Amino acid sequence: MKQDIHPDYHHITIVMSDGTKYDTRSTWGKEGDVLQLDVDPKTHPAWVGGINLRKTGQMEKFQNRFANFAAATSGTKKEAAPAAASTKAVATEAPKKKEEKKD
């Protein structure tokens, strides 16, 4: 193994957003530095269940977009919801070309 190519691995203190502290070893910073976390697993909505995809509309958007995907791969076709069908028709409509007039 090559000598002097690895970063310094030392003790640091990590402070969570709620104020709790713990000591660990890391290559971040210098010996004895304090790493202050703004977002951590105790407060981030992804880990504590704060994000409700129904409220953001993302779940409905996903379901509308991929409603027929499982049916198409299994050989049976499901009918899409009327709202999804109307938005899909608008999105796939080709733009009309202007006819050029020749003299």
Side-chain angles (χ1 to χ4, degrees):
M1 180 162 53
K2 292 184 180 180
Q3 297 296 321
D4 301 325
I5 63 168
H6 300 288
D8 182 33
Y9 191 61
H10 49 270
H11 288 278
I12 64 167
T13 302
I14 296 183
V15 180
M16 305 285 259
S17 59
D18 65 352
T20 58
K21 298 179 183 180
Y22 68 92
D23 293 325
T24 188
R25 294 185 52 139
S26 175
T27 59
W28 180 85
K30 295 182 174 94
E31 179 77 31
D33 279 352
V34 176
L35 176 61
Q36 186 80 28
L37 298 179
D38 294 332
V39 178
D40 59 37
K42 292 181 180 180
T43 59
H44 195 278
W47 286 292
V48 296
I51 295 175
N52 187 347
L53 293 176
R54 293 263 177 217
K55 290 180 182 175
T56 63
Q58 294 301 309
M59 185 64 79
E60 286 81 9
K61 185 176 177 182
F62 177 83
Q63 288 173 343
N64 289 342
R65 179 179 251 178
F66 297 106
N68 294 327
F69 179 73
T73 57
S74 66
T76 60
K77 188 171 184 177
K78 285 185 178 179
E79 290 296 321
S86 65
T87 57
K88 192 172 186 177
V90 172
T92 59
E93 189 174 302
K96 295 180 181 177
K97 293 183 180 180
K98 293 182 180 180
E99 293 183 23
E100 295 180 17
K101 294 182 179 180
K102 294 183 179 181
D103 291 326

